[in-house]
Amino acid sequence: MLTKFETKSARVKGLSFHPKRPWVLASLHNGVIQLWDYRMCTLIDKFDEHDGPVRGIDFHKQQPLFVSGGDDYKIKVWNYKLRRCLFTLLGHLDYIRTTFFHHEYPWILSASDDQTIRIWNWQSRTCVCVLTGHNHYVMCAQFHPSEDLVVSASLDQTVRVWDISGLRKKNLSPGAVETEVRGISGVDLFGASDAVVKHVLEGHDRGVNWAAFHPNLPLIVSGADDRQVKIWRMNDSKAWELDTCRGHYNNVSCAVFHPRQELILSNSEDKSIRVWDMSKRTGVQTFRRDHDRFWVLGAHPNLNLFAAGHDSGMIVFKLERERPAYAVHGNMLYYVKDRYLRQLDFISSKDTAIMQLRSGSKFPVFSMSYNPAENAVLLCNRATNLENSTYDLYSIPKESDSQNPDAPEGKRSSGLTAVWVARNRFAVLDRMHSLLIKNLKNEIVKKVPVQSCEEIFYAGTGSLLLRDADGVTLFDVQQKRSLATVKIAKVKYVVWSADTSHVALLAKHGERKQKPHKYYFHFSQFPRLYFRSSTLFIYGNVSYLIIPVRHRDRTSMRRTTGIHLKQNGTIMICNRKLESLCNIHENIRVKSGAWDESGVFIYTTSNHIKYALISGDHGIIRTLDLPIYVTRVRGNNVYCLDRDCRPRVLTIDPTEYRFKLALVNRKYDEVLHMVRNAKLVGQSIIAYLQKKGYPEVALHFVKDEKTRFSLALECGNIEVALEAAKALDERSCWERLGEAALLQGYHQVVEMCYQRTKNFDKLTFLYLLTGNLAKLRKMMKIAEIRKDMSGHYQAALYLGDVSEMVRILKNCGQKSLAYLTAATHGLDEEAEALKETFDPEKETVPEVDPNAQLLQPPPPINPLDTNWPLLTVSKGFFEGAIASKGKASQMAADVDMDAAGGEGWGDDAELQLDEDGFMDAREGLGDDGLGKEERGGWEVEEDLDLPPELDVPGGAGGGAEDGFFVPPTKGMSPTQMWCNNSQLPVDHILAGSFETAMRLLHDQVGVVNFSPYKSLFMQTLSRGSTCYLGLPSLPCLRGHPQRNWKDCGAKQGLPAVGLRLSDLISRLQQCYQLTTAGRFEEAVERFRTILLSVPLLVVDNKQEIAEAQQLITICREYIVGLTMETERKKLPKDTLEQQKRLCEMAAYFTHCNLQPVHMMLVLRTALNLFFKLGNFKTAASFARRLLELGPRPDVAQQTRKILAACEKTLTDAHQLNYDPHNPFDLCAASFVPLYRGRPVEKCPLSGACYCPPYKGQVCRVTQVTEIGKDVIGLRVSPLQFR
Amino acid sequence: CFSTLGSGPHVGDVDELFDVKNAYYIGSYQQCINEAQKVKPSSPEKEVERDMFLYRAYIAQRKYAVVLDDIKSNSAPELQAVKMFADYLANESKRDSIVIDLEKKMAQSVDAANTTFLLMAASIYFHEMNTDAALRTLHQGESLECMAMTIQVLLGLDRVDLARKELKKMQEQDEDATLTQLATAWVNIAVGGEKLQDAYYIFQEMSDKYSSTLLLLNGQAACYMARNKWEEAEGVLQEALDKDSSHPETLINLIVLTQHLGKAPEVTNRYLSQLKDAHRSHPFLKDYFAKENEFNRLAMQYAPTATA
């Protein structure tokens, strides 16, 4: 049993799952109805209107309604959207035990201690039927899921099945109108006929607490105080007891059929929930609770979820894990479904079963590890008792029939987890908490104790992640050492990126109890006494928790009422060294994840697909109705498995995380592209950008001047800020801009700001600093006008305008000061004038300090008109982008000028930096060198002590060993075997045995001149063996590729030839092209190479042997023909005899076996020559032959003309040594015809013919073979030796 | 962090120079040098060991001068041996005298604890094609590397049977050690057949786990080619070529491969010319030239019975 969610509350008496939303209703013994979201683990709402315990509760399947029934005799119908009770149905005369909606009709079915069952119409809000017959409390009554039946259970020890078809007919027949039903007052009158008892099931010998129909079979399950669960079967006429499930040792409170599996669930006051096999009627599983008796069970109509109510709350649980076991390799997904291992090709979507699993485990496969090298899988099976867990090692069959795949024998061993660590090694965490390294035969090759390790995960070749109580350790299996550790508790899954550079650790953050803000205990007494089957029971609570509901709004309710166990998850992303890059907390379980191709981690929680960047940024991509398990992410597609193990593909919008990723990577062109093409703009994006430190990017989005202004200041973009400030024209803006501009040295902007804010003091000082005396004087005037005496004086002081200072002092009555100023500065006239104004009686003329010094501000050397020089700063991508959009302000020109001036600065600064860096580097080097030397000196000292000790054992050992060692003799190399195994020349060449190769060529095809073979030999030899490196700095090792490597064993090897008939054939094309192009000599050269290569072939069958022969023939024909043609062109054509010879040779050429395209050319030549010579008859035969080959239209037309001309005089003017009707061979040396029957000598390789005198000479065609030599014949296949 | 795993007894197993050695053996020489410069050895002995690998990595990169300059006459005897090897490789003219010196040293009692000396001596003998002496020298050492080199020499002698025996010894000592794995791959290639796939995976796994190097890539290529998987080999060798366009073994393998792929002879000849240009003294070419001479000599034994 896997607990998904638990609550603590008063005793739970009723439960109902919402069919679609992740909600469950719990009705409590204290009168409260709770609505929980079991996925988010939050209390959504509370409904507290019943007085006393609420036992009946049921969601409506379609409407936002639920019905409840309580000990206050009331049935209430509620609307959870409106969050209130809509109405109350009154009629029952005692406690109401259950209330259920009909799945189709507007009916409610209620069972009551008043011994009746009632059916209500919730639309008309009336009772439409009363079912009487039970003679004790009716504990439960339920509609049949599809038929017009009701099943009820009563303390009268019976279960009854009622037929309500009459009621349906009456209420839903066309004539039946609402008013008719509403008119019913004395329900008993109709009750008898509308609903009749069909079966009475007797068998329990105590009161029956629960009865329920099977969802689709004619079965009923019941649970009773006789501690038994009974299964009943019924047909149209009767019903009978099928079997009893015994095991509970106290009253059975509730029993239900599993909606989809052949299971029955029951719970009892014996504090247990039991699961029974429906067909075997045996207990499968038992879950016990320590202190709480169970009262009710609820099954989710379509999910694998159950709820059970007990004395102190409720649990939502499922019977088994629904996570499919899967593994991804490349484009393949491997997963287990229904005892089959299946393979899904992501690209072609081809989904095939490739293997049937060995049965035996009653649990679904827990996890899988796939080994692509060996095509093997490890499937782990977790048992309830972890120590009994096993794993299976399977070798996947190479070929399999998807309809009925093989069930190969696996190897099963005990072990908690098994994962591949290398191609031929896997690691098993055994129950003794040792790490076993095993080989493909499932044999232990190494054992590593890892005491506190709870779980192991794959971590790349040769490495594992080991999980202990509070962290995960990267462990190198080879070195048996831990490489890195990261602290994170309860890691459940590990997802590596494709290149294993990053890993996401998915952890269950534990169950954290959320404390309520306010709660109090309410001592209440609901003792209840009644007789049950002659035994007295006392039901009562001593105390229970009541949660105050002060606030009606949901959010605050969540805050104040969360007494439940909260489960949540953590994702930690680490790099290869297991350094934590970020940590993400989720309030909800993290289910799965996969890395997309751009390095974003896409993960799923119970209800969302989310993304996480390695920077820690994360967010929601889309919501999910049901949990899924992500297998792979590509582009917009999320590939996943759902809980039914169905592969699915969901599309997502990756814009948001792509955008953020582009930002993190500072790929601003992408960012800009997205901004312009995707609808991304929004306050949230701007806030995000600002928060993450990309004000310059955010600036790009903003149209609102105020935001623009702040953003511009934030990223120091004075131009944009100025623009915005102008638009806004607010004092505070100017002030802030002034400050920012001052920091950056934009004193012109500062001036403007001070002007706008009328900050005269600062403005004055600014002018002083910038040496702008004219403006400073103006400021003085302004101060005078403004009657700002102090400012006026200050300006005068800055200007060094003494007379003005004197004037000011005089005007404001500071006569003494005025006098002193005048006197000190040598304005004697003024001083005198002032002195006279002193009243000698009342006033004393102050004494002038003889040491007083002239106080004058230094005059500016060069007034500063432009802004302060600025360091050159490269413009950001976005500034550029903004400017390029024509938004540049009027400042642009100025700024550019400044920038130009600034470059000098920039250069200097850079230079300085460089020098510093250089200096540092050198210093660093010096230090290092020094350190080394010191250590070196120290080492020498050590050395002095050591040698004598070392020498003794070394010398002795070496000497002793020496005597016994006998160096091995050289073994038989593969190349030697090749020679032994083959009589084909190429094998000997590849083996490097030129001597034998030559002998073979000589004997087989009569080669006597080997020099043309030299390059072929060397080339062939060079492909005979490969290289691989052994230890560094040593000569490399040689590999010997063999064509029969699969089955040759140690002795039967034959070299891989590396020369294919097809390659030679394809090389013909090149020769043909050269021929067509008229490059005869080159063509001959190539034809000859091909011809010489043929004896170096190895072919497999007779057809290929024939083809090889044919290839030789083709080459020969061309070589003979082309050589003759070359020869012919060299011949003189002055005399008639000479011309006749030319014609003869042209005629012979037409008897070489050439390709039609070439034959046409040859025929045209011959035709022309013969026509010119006047041999019209022969010419005509050439013309006909030409036309038969179907030449181009223009050629054909011309040929026909010539033919017509020939046919006029069909005679030959000259006698030639050419008889087209008498078959002949052509002597390849003398180019004369050898008519059949005449003696002829042939080349043993090419088959070229020669007049007998040429015997013993080298063949003109091959240039390697001896004419007329007696040979074995061409051997290119082992077939020829059998 | 190690204690949390409760593997106390294995602390001794941990080799502080693991990364240095590992990088060296898989042919990642620059990384070996980097690691060696980073690592802080815990004892003077370790320091010498570190330097030994550092200088051998330089040798593997053919930077002999660094070694010859750095190692002084007062450096540790292990390093002196490394220097001797560097000297041997660097100066073709001095080789004979170095070998004579070496013979003298070997004739005296040899310090068998100085594995480095044994390895360097054996390396020189191996280069000299004196496999007997190489094996005799290696026989005195017991380190994994001595065994690995023994295997390499034995494979050169086509004694796969003995190589397997030696490999078994290595596996008994430490099956998962990088050297044992590599030696397994060499032997597997020599054995051929189904073992080729195993050999391939060893190289593949190492490139996955550490980094792909010319050594590993050529190993993979050799496996592919031994299994006649020419197209696959092409990809691997292309990667190797991208890493170093004039790496002799890569070029040799390409000479083999291009022919098997049926490429035009010119393509093959290009690689051959490249090899001739850059590595004239490579054993492959020495063999090649010798074979050319042999061809000429043998060809003279044949002649037509008549001349035109």
Side-chain angles (χ1 to χ4, degrees), chain A residues 423 425 446 478-479 992, chain B residues 18 175-176 201 205 291:
Chain A
R423 143 204 63 96
R425 292 279 186 277
K446 199 192 287 185
Q478 180 190 347
Q479 301 180 56
Chain B
F18 178 85
E175 183 169 7
D176 289 330
Y201 282 130
E205 267 171 19
K291 276 287 171 196

Side-chain angles (χ1 to χ4, degrees), chain A residues 256-275:
Chain A
V256 297
F257 287 109
H258 192 291
R260 285 184 296 179
Q261 284 170 301
E262 296 237 309
L263 295 172
I264 289 169
L265 280 83
S266 64
N267 62 8
S268 153
E269 291 174 51
D270 69 3
K271 300 166 192 159
S272 75
I273 300 174
R274 285 169 200 257
V275 183

Side-chain angles (χ1 to χ4, degrees), chain A residues 143 195 418 492 534 641 727 806 828 834 917 966 1010 1033 1048:
Chain A
F143 285 117
K492 294 198 77 181
S534 74
L641 287 171
V806 172
D828 295 340
L834 280 164
V966 181
F1010 276 96
S1033 307
C1048 63

